[in-house]
């Protein structure tokens, strides 16, 4: 079901621009509350259980399918003037994702969630993209980005970053070892390291821009 819904969303986004919004609303509006409940039910799960120890288990594959759906919902958000709750949930309840990233879940899932967070902090509505402004003008997106920024900065201010393990070996084509003559950068995954850094910097940038007083900024 997750794969099917994600595939339909992706195909709809390839259609001619005019009918997209109507089709998406017709598809997602009846599922809005269901998808929000699903988000909470899936991501509040106990991910340290034995079901998630293997990156090839059914439980892991189901979670990857759900991440693909979240990605499709984020991409579809730009088509609707007033986004649905299921298109905003990733911003408003991002703490669930942050908890998963610092858990002992397989690395492939952590990486997908971190790269999804990166897409969130770089996201702009159509109006904001057209305006060319560095800062967001769309009220719902401002509210969502502030919620995301607050949650990220709150965990970063604690020990969240220290709990995130970067993969011991980066993946290379056909091998998990570095090619001869190539530095493996100490074995850490540079893509994830850059994405995490960008998420923190963007959260900080948005929080500073949104803060009313100098004390808040400090």
């Amino acid at each position: 079901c997750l794969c099917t819904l994600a595939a339909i969303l992706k195909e709809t986004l390839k259609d001619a621009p005019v009918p997209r919004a109507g089709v998406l609303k017709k598809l997602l509006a009846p599922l809005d509350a269901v998808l929000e409940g699903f988000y909470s039910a899936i991501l509040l799960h106990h991910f340290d259980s034995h079901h998630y120890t293997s990156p090839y288990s059914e439980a892991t594959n189901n979670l990857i399918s759900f991440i693909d759906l979240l990605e499709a919902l984020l991409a579809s958000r730009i088509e609707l003037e007033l986004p649905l709750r299921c298109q905003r949930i990733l911003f408003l309840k991002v703490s669930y994702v942050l908890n998963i990233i610092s858990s002992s879940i397989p690395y492939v899932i952590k990486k997908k969630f971190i790269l999804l967070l990166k897409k969130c902090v770089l996201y702009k509505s159509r109006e904001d993209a057209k305006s060319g402004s560095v800062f967001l003008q769309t009220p719902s997106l401002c509210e969502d980005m502030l919620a995301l920024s607050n949650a990220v900065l709150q965990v970063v201010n604690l020990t969240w970053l220290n709990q995130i393990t970067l993969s011991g070996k980066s993946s290379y084509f056909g091998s998990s070892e570095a090619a001869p003559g190539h530095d493996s950068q100490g074995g850490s995954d540079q893509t994830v390291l850059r994405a995490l850094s960008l998420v923190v910097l963007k959260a900080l940038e948005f929080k500073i821009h949104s803060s009313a007083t100098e004390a808040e900024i400090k």
Side-chain angles (χ1 to χ4, degrees):
C1 289
L2 292 172
C3 291
T4 304
L5 187 54
I8 291 168
L9 280 171
K10 287 172 186 174
E11 286 302 313
T12 305
L13 293 173
K14 291 178 187 174
D15 290 342
V18 181
R20 274 186 205 157
V23 172
L24 286 168
K25 207 161 190 178
K26 199 179 284 187
L27 173 69
L28 294 175
L31 295 172
D32 204 20
V34 176
L35 287 173
E36 184 178 353
F38 216 42
Y39 179 93
S40 302
I42 288 180
L43 300 189
L44 270 179
H45 196 66
H46 186 59
F47 288 106
D48 294 328
S49 74
H50 67 279
H51 296 295
Y52 296 93
T53 50
S54 166
Y56 308 107
S57 69
E58 186 183 354
T60 302
N61 283 331
N62 288 341
L63 191 53
I64 287 171
S65 297
F66 189 59
I67 297 169
D68 290 340
L69 176 59
L70 290 175
E71 203 170 319
L73 286 168
L74 178 66
S76 69
R77 175 177 177 147
I78 201 166
E79 301 299 330
L80 300 183
E81 198 173 319
L82 288 171
L84 296 166
R85 181 84 180 173
C86 64
Q87 294 170 308
R88 302 179 63 191
I89 195 72
L90 187 55
F91 293 84
L92 300 175
K93 292 188 177 178
V94 74
S95 57
Y96 295 11
V97 171
L98 298 174
N99 288 338
I100 292 171
I101 290 170
S102 61
S103 74
S104 60
I105 205 155
Y107 185 73
V108 63
I109 293 176
K110 287 189 187 197
K111 184 167 183 172
K112 279 184 81 73
F113 268 125
I114 289 166
L115 295 178
L116 181 59
L117 277 184
K118 177 187 165 185
K119 286 185 179 180
C120 287
V121 297
L122 293 176
Y123 178 83
K124 281 192 172 184
S125 68
R126 189 166 279 146
E127 292 75 17
D128 289 319
K130 278 180 188 170
S131 74
S133 170
V134 179
F135 297 108
L136 306 172
Q137 312 297 323
T138 313
S140 63
L141 187 54
C142 278
E143 185 187 327
D144 293 357
M145 206 63 87
L146 186 58
L148 184 143
S149 298
N150 283 336
V152 168
L153 294 175
Q154 195 174 351
V155 293
V156 167
N157 207 29
L158 300 170
T159 58
W160 184 72
L161 284 173
N162 297 340
Q163 294 166 16
I164 299 170
T165 52
L166 296 173
S167 182
K169 291 178 181 176
S170 300
S171 292
Y172 294 85
F173 191 78
S175 168
S176 61
E177 300 287 348
H182 286 73
D183 181 16
S184 65
Q185 301 281 353
S188 61
D189 188 330
Q190 299 300 298
T191 304
V192 168
L193 199 54
R194 284 194 296 270
L196 269 174
S197 302
L198 184 64
V199 168
V200 175
L201 286 170
K202 280 287 183 185
L204 200 56
E205 178 190 39
F206 192 80
K207 179 65 177 172
I208 288 171
H209 176 70
S210 308
S211 297
T213 66
E214 196 176 330
E216 267 189 309
I217 292 171
K218 283 182 180 176

